[in-house]
Amino acid sequence: MTLSNLKTKFMTRNDCYTAGRTITPKGIMVHSTVTPGVMAGSWFSRWNKSYRAGEINRQVCVHAFLDDKEIWQYLPWNHRGWHAGGAANNTHIGFEICEPAGHSFRGATMVGYDVKKNEAYFRAAWKNAVDLCVFLCKKYGLTEKDIIGHAEGHRKGIASNHADPDHWFPKHGESMDSFRAAVKIGLKNPKNEDFYVGDIVKIKDAANRYYPNGPQIPSWVKSTNHKITQNRSNGKTVLRGGRKAVLLGKKIHKRTGDESPGIMTWVDKEILELVDVEKEEKGAAPEKLYRVQVGAFGKEENAKALMGRLQKAGFDAYMRYE
Ligand SMILES: [Zn+2]
């Protein structure tokens, strides 16, 4: 599998990002936007805002949005998101599938949705969603059984009462069950490759040249992360200095995940190592945060009552016993 269309840009202005809480992902929650025609890249400017600073009227953030072309990652995968409206935020990575333009809603029901016209879009977005889930399952040791839709989450009591994506998938003859089945197939077909297009890598400290007898590596190239943008050329493995090489076509900012044009050099795979972006981000940015404590209680019920009031008022409050 490849995730060649995965792009990363963290919503560092969103209060969810600055809350800086991490999770150990135990599952994946599938959402759809219920916002016709707004594609994945457009959500950055909509949601990279602070609720506390009065820039947005919702406290919401999700790990990724995807459409028929791109997957945009907006939070580190192991960052606690605000997508489920329930306990699933503590365990689940959440992503949104963008809905195509042309329909409206009456309650949770799609009105004027043109199935035939949207079939190609749906299939491409579906494939991106399956590929993303395969990627995440491999990364976190999950299986298709760990994937649920938002509506399923509600029925399990770990998410708010939304219908997505069950209001949409059946229009194309699909369901969360058939989605899980597609991920299962994806997990069974691992290509025997050590690096994928889309992987974030860095150059090992010990390396001096891009490949045997190749150019020397400037030190700044080693101090940044890179994204693999090609691992083949015209369908064939590329050799440099007799070694299998991949193309580093993008630079990735260590803290923000921002992409910029890369070194565009084919590099010996042996001198590369995968970067755990989440770990790096935490290590590279020992950002201190001002945390506000509202109260300390001897009785759990009193603490819970205050937390309930804070949550009702729109704060992502949490409780700790120490
Ligand atoms: Zn949802």
Side-chain angles (χ1 to χ4, degrees), residues 81-96:
W82 295 344
H83 58 90
N89 282 341
N90 299 324
T91 47
H92 283 63
I93 294 168
F95 71 88
E96 296 269 357

Side-chain angles (χ1 to χ4, degrees), residues 29-32 83-84 96 150-151 160 162 164-165:
M29 184 171 280
V30 181
H31 302 263
S32 73
H83 58 90
E96 296 269 357
H150 189 159
S160 55
H162 286 203
D164 61 304

